[in-house]
Amino acid sequence: MKRLSLKPNLLTVNTLLSALVKYPSTNCSIMCRELFNDAVRLGVKLNTNTFSILMKAYCIELKFDDAIGLLKTMGEFGCEPDNVSYNTILDGLSKKGRLNQVRDLLADMKGRGLVPNRHTYNILVYGYCKMGWLKDAAKILELMTQNNVLPDVWTYNVLVNGFCGDGKIEEAFKLLEEIEGLKLFPDIVTYNTLINAFLEKKRSLDAFELLEQMKLKGVKPNNSTYNIILKWYCREGKMDEACDNIKRMEEGGFSPDSVTYNTLINGFCRAGKLDVAFRVMNEMTGKGMKPDAVTLNTVLRIFCVERKHDEAYELLNSARKKGYIVDEVSYGTLIAGYCKDENVEKAMKIWDEMKQKGVIPTVLTYNTIIGGLCKSGKTAEAINKLNELLESGLVPDQITYNTIIHGYCWAGNIEKAFQFHNKMVEHSFKPDIYTCNILLRGLCREMMLEKAMKLFNTWISRGKIIDAVTYNTLISALCKDGKLDDAMALVSDMEEKKLGPDIYTCNAVLGALAEAGRTKEAEDIILKVVETGSVHEGTVLSQKGKLQDPPTVESAENSDSGSVVYSEQIIEFCAQKKYIEAMQLLKELTAKGATVNRSTYMTLMNGLIKRKKGTMKVDKM
DNA sequence: CTAGGGTTAG
């Protein structure tokens, strides 16, 4: 078109821009900007929508300053921002928890005489919920009513999700009554949110009951319903039932989407079944669904788990060149991987690269690097990162603070841990069960057992929530200190509260019990642990009297040396980008009943992500 | 707006 010197019209420009934004790839905003510049050069008269779409592009890449800048510059083109323009940026900011900027922009919006509409309010409710500021979120609802903008199901769904995310399912249900009072009806999103919340809280019975209730009320499940249940099966490691769920999904007339496939791939990866994970990934591509950013990040994670960090790094870079969205999650995955490998230097290097590429970290990304720095004893640098986080306008969360408190404990600086904790409490930080357990463990490490017990008793008398970790921390410390009777008293205590004993309790007390010749008690506790089902079948007792998990798939796989030659051949094909040959060989091998090692499957997954158009078809494996 | 990928305690 450009070559023919034809002038595109406004509709063409906006349609193209929308398409770029709808299916975003790397450098989405740069491509949009180029298109925009071309349009300007060709003298196309642009409208407000053009700018709003461009803003959306910037928001996708978290370039909020550029997006906000457009609000001013669009005036030079004779365009004025409208509600859509503001809502677009507000939505982007709100989703990433940048509430300070939301506030400023909202003031700016009102200053222009624009009136927030329902969408604007819904965005605010979402933002507050995401931050866990539920009271503020509820206040927005009041504000809406005052301003004659009535909340809709959407508003309530956001709020329901907020309450669920905070673990307040019962309060979320109260909202349902409120919805019905307004003659609105809970829809499939409402139900999906609640079912998901039950499953996350391990209340599967409630979840399935609600599912039935939902059907009775005539609300039909959708793809997401099945995906939510699928996720639960995967998390529980019930991969057979996960597959049954897919069958039911298809029987119900739904087809697996990319979320379904990514959930399954992740599930099989976590279960150590890389061969099946690869097969699913291949099936996904066969059905015309390309591996996407989530698939990429899943594969990056499994590479890191398998300690192939450098391969993961290489994959990240080549995926970016192939147009994948490489986001803060991708970089965060690698950063976490290197941190676990005790290579913070490399993790920091990747952090810098991420920044240099214009990928903006979220709180979670910060938490990852802060945790890594803490674990390697670099608490001062961790604090630097915390300050950087604050300067960037983000708000630290529970995990940020807990990580730093843990960092001080890890460094043996229990005083500083408490100091930091106290200072944060003054700044409205609410210690949770993690905080308590971290501090308790810190005291135990420093042989301040008495102080730990004192703290523990204060919590009990104040009715604070304690859990199995709390008990196990103390029990383990008491055993190491030779106070077996005190430890056993806590064991019965935790049993009374139905918090255990579990496998950690066992590991803590069995050695001491055996040494004291108290075999009867040792047998008792093992029996209880098995009864409560907190140990999966196949757990074996080693000679030292400690419970151990059965040998992992990994060690079993390492012994399949028979097909090493073929594995190497497949890997070689992949290296030469001869994926078709690689797949052919794999097919032949599987037909013969031979197996290849996990490394080979990882190389094949790598190939699926990187390949351009060449097919990697394999029929039945 | 909900669903899939990366972070905290024993």
Side-chain angles (χ1 to χ4, degrees):
Chain A
M1 201 160 167
K2 259 161 73 180
R3 209 174 45 232
L4 294 172
S5 310
L6 289 174
K7 182 173 144 185
N9 65 16
L10 175 63
L11 184 64
T12 320
V13 171
N14 286 356
T15 310
L16 274 172
L17 281 174
S18 302
L20 284 170
V21 167
K22 201 167 176 190
Y23 307 102
S25 60
T26 326
N27 298 329
C28 161
S29 70
I30 293 175
M31 289 198 291
C32 287
R33 188 77 211 196
E34 278 171 11
L35 184 62
F36 171 87
N37 289 342
D38 281 348
V40 172
R41 215 175 307 125
L42 293 167
V44 183
K45 176 93 177 72
L46 303 170
N47 68 2
T48 298
N49 290 345
T50 322
F51 286 92
S52 296
I53 303 168
L54 195 52
M55 286 170 196
K56 173 89 184 166
Y58 281 130
C59 286
I60 286 172
E61 292 178 6
L62 311 186
K63 295 176 176 170
F64 297 117
D65 292 337
D66 292 321
I68 293 168
L70 279 180
L71 288 171
K72 292 201 185 80
T73 51
M74 64 194 285
E76 295 163 19
F77 298 85
C79 299
E80 287 302 318
D82 59 7
N83 271 10
V84 176
S85 323
Y86 275 97
N87 284 344
T88 301
I89 307 180
L90 285 170
D91 187 49
L93 290 170
S94 181
K95 277 192 181 130
K96 291 292 169 181
R98 299 176 167 260
L99 274 267
N100 290 335
Q101 283 167 284
V102 166
R103 241 167 251 172
D104 295 346
L105 197 62
L106 203 59
D108 181 46
M109 177 179 179
K110 288 176 182 164
R112 280 193 191 252
L114 290 171
V115 183
N117 58 18
R118 186 149 63 197
H119 192 176
T120 320
Y121 285 112
N122 286 346
I123 290 167
L124 293 179
V125 175
Y126 183 90
Y128 283 125
C129 283
K130 192 176 168 68
M131 303 302 297
W133 304 345
L134 298 178
K135 281 183 188 147
D136 297 276
K139 264 187 209 147
I140 301 281
L141 253 78
E142 285 172 32
L143 198 67
M144 289 175 84
T145 330
Q146 276 169 30
N147 292 337
N148 274 328
V149 185
L150 287 183
D152 57 2
V153 182
W154 203 303
T155 323
Y156 275 100
N157 283 344
V158 175
L159 208 56
V160 165
N161 186 44
F163 276 104
C164 288
D166 205 37
K168 295 173 175 148
I169 307 185
E170 314 305 334
E171 291 187 45
F173 268 95
K174 276 186 203 147
L175 286 171
L176 280 196
E177 293 165 24
E178 229 180 285
I179 300 183
E180 281 160 5
L182 290 167
K183 292 189 187 141
L184 295 169
F185 293 99
D187 62 5
I188 184 63
V189 175
T190 328
Y191 282 108
N192 281 348
T193 308
L194 289 165
I195 291 170
N196 184 45
F198 275 139
L199 292 176
E200 301 251 303
K201 284 262 160 196
K202 307 215 172 245
R203 291 169 61 178
S204 52
L205 288 180
D206 290 320
F208 287 112
E209 199 187 305
L210 185 61
L211 181 64
E212 287 313 310
Q213 257 183 51
M214 174 184 103
K215 287 180 189 163
L216 285 177
K217 290 210 176 175
V219 178
K220 295 222 162 58
N222 63 5
N223 254 24
S224 297
T225 320
Y226 286 99
N227 286 341
I228 288 165
I229 294 166
L230 177 68
K231 177 182 68 169
W232 178 69
Y233 283 130
C234 286
R235 288 225 180 124
E236 294 282 308
K238 297 177 178 171
M239 296 314 293
D240 290 340
E241 300 186 44
C243 293
D244 289 344
N245 184 58
I246 306 249
K247 260 185 225 144
R248 279 197 298 276
M249 179 178 189
E250 284 171 331
E251 281 160 14
F254 297 97
S255 29
D257 57 14
S258 60
V259 174
T260 321
Y261 279 110
N262 283 330
T263 310
L264 259 185
I265 293 167
N266 191 34
F268 281 119
C269 279
R270 282 181 187 269
K273 298 186 174 172
L274 299 195
D275 52 339
V276 194
F278 168 72
R279 215 188 303 156
V280 175
M281 207 169 141
N282 196 49
E283 189 188 312
M284 173 185 187
T285 24
K287 290 203 180 164
M289 270 169 275
K290 277 186 271 180
D292 61 11
V294 176
T295 330
L296 168 67
N297 291 340
T298 306
V299 173
L300 287 178
R301 201 194 73 91
I302 194 66
F303 270 53
C304 287
V305 168
E306 300 281 331
R307 303 173 65 94
K308 304 203 179 223
H309 305 91
D310 297 336
E311 282 94 331
Y313 181 66
E314 190 272 333
L315 175 58
L316 181 146
N317 283 315
S318 40
R320 194 188 37 238
K321 281 180 204 141
K322 293 232 183 297
Y324 280 85
I325 294 186
V326 172
D327 59 9
E328 81 282 2
V329 179
S330 326
Y331 281 101
T333 306
L334 250 84
I335 290 168
Y338 278 114
C339 286
K340 274 199 193 107
D341 206 38
E342 291 172 11
N343 193 348
V344 227
E345 282 73 29
K346 183 78 189 188
M348 282 293 273
K349 221 186 122 223
I350 292 180
W351 177 276
D352 293 336
E353 273 181 42
M354 169 182 76
K355 287 253 174 150
Q356 188 232 322
K357 293 271 189 285
V359 175
I360 317 267
T362 65
V363 174
L364 213 143
T365 331
Y366 270 102
N367 288 345
T368 309
I369 193 75
I370 287 174
L373 289 166
C374 283
K375 264 184 200 134
S376 61
K378 299 184 172 174
T379 32
E381 284 188 49
I383 296 288
N384 282 343
K385 275 278 167 286
L386 172 63
N387 286 326
E388 192 184 305
L389 180 160
L390 290 164
E391 278 159 27
S392 75
L394 288 168
V395 183
D397 62 10
Q398 284 299 128
I399 295 180
T400 323
Y401 292 123
N402 285 340
T403 305
I404 287 179
I405 293 169
H406 190 210
Y408 281 127
C409 290
W410 192 271
N413 207 335
I414 188 82
E415 296 236 330
K416 270 209 157 169
F418 273 95
Q419 272 171 20
F420 184 84
H421 164 267
N422 295 341
K423 210 166 102 194
M424 291 310 125
V425 169
E426 283 167 28
H427 290 84
S428 75
F429 164 69
K430 288 211 184 353
D432 59 11
I433 186 86
Y434 282 87
T435 325
C436 298
N437 290 336
I438 289 166
L439 286 170
L440 205 62
R441 167 77 222 235
L443 286 172
C444 291
R445 270 172 66 100
E446 296 303 306
M447 307 300 284
M448 297 158 101
L449 197 48
E450 274 164 44
K451 277 196 182 172
M453 283 304 294
K454 223 168 128 187
L455 190 61
F456 173 75
N457 287 321
T458 333
W459 292 342
I460 299 272
S461 60
R462 283 193 200 157
K464 255 186 182 288
I465 298 172
I466 45 166
D467 63 4
V469 179
T470 323
Y471 275 104
N472 290 333
T473 305
L474 281 173
I475 289 167
S476 155
L478 285 167
C479 284
K480 280 191 192 125
D481 206 34
K483 294 177 174 145
L484 185 52
D485 287 323
D486 292 342
M488 291 309 286
L490 282 182
V491 174
S492 7
D493 208 21
M494 85 187 285
E495 199 183 339
E496 241 169 68
K497 291 187 179 141
K498 304 228 185 294
L499 290 174
D502 63 13
I503 186 159
Y504 289 94
T505 327
C506 264
N507 281 337
V509 299
L510 281 184
L513 281 175
E515 219 167 277
R518 293 157 72 165
T519 43
K520 176 81 182 60
E521 284 164 87
E523 280 166 21
D524 270 2
I525 198 161
I526 293 172
L527 226 78
K528 272 174 201 153
V529 172
V530 176
E531 269 170 21
T532 52
S534 58
V535 178
H536 42 309
E537 252 178 86
T539 301
V540 288
L541 210 57
S542 77
Q543 306 94 325
K544 280 185 187 162
K546 298 202 170 186
L547 287 172
Q548 284 185 340
D549 280 339
T552 56
V553 186
E554 191 182 359
S555 47
E557 285 244 6
N558 283 339
S559 56
D560 65 352
S561 48
S563 43
V564 162
V565 181
Y566 295 111
S567 296
E568 278 173 6
Q569 182 62 57
I570 292 178
I571 290 173
E572 181 58 29
F573 277 140
C574 287
Q576 297 166 357
K577 298 196 167 57
K578 293 180 178 168
Y579 298 126
I580 299 169
E581 287 86 341
M583 290 304 290
Q584 188 56 40
L585 181 53
L586 178 67
K587 199 175 141 189
E588 284 169 20
L589 281 175
T590 341
K592 276 192 222 158
T595 54
V596 294
N597 56 29
R598 43 210 295 119
S599 197
T600 311
Y601 282 113
M602 286 165 63
T603 309
L604 284 164
M605 288 188 205
N606 191 325
L608 268 188
I609 287 187
K610 280 194 207 158
R611 73 172 188 159
K612 284 177 200 151
K613 272 186 181 159
T615 169
M616 274 179 88
K617 234 187 175 158
V618 62
D619 318 320
K620 265 211 166 153
M621 290 174 42

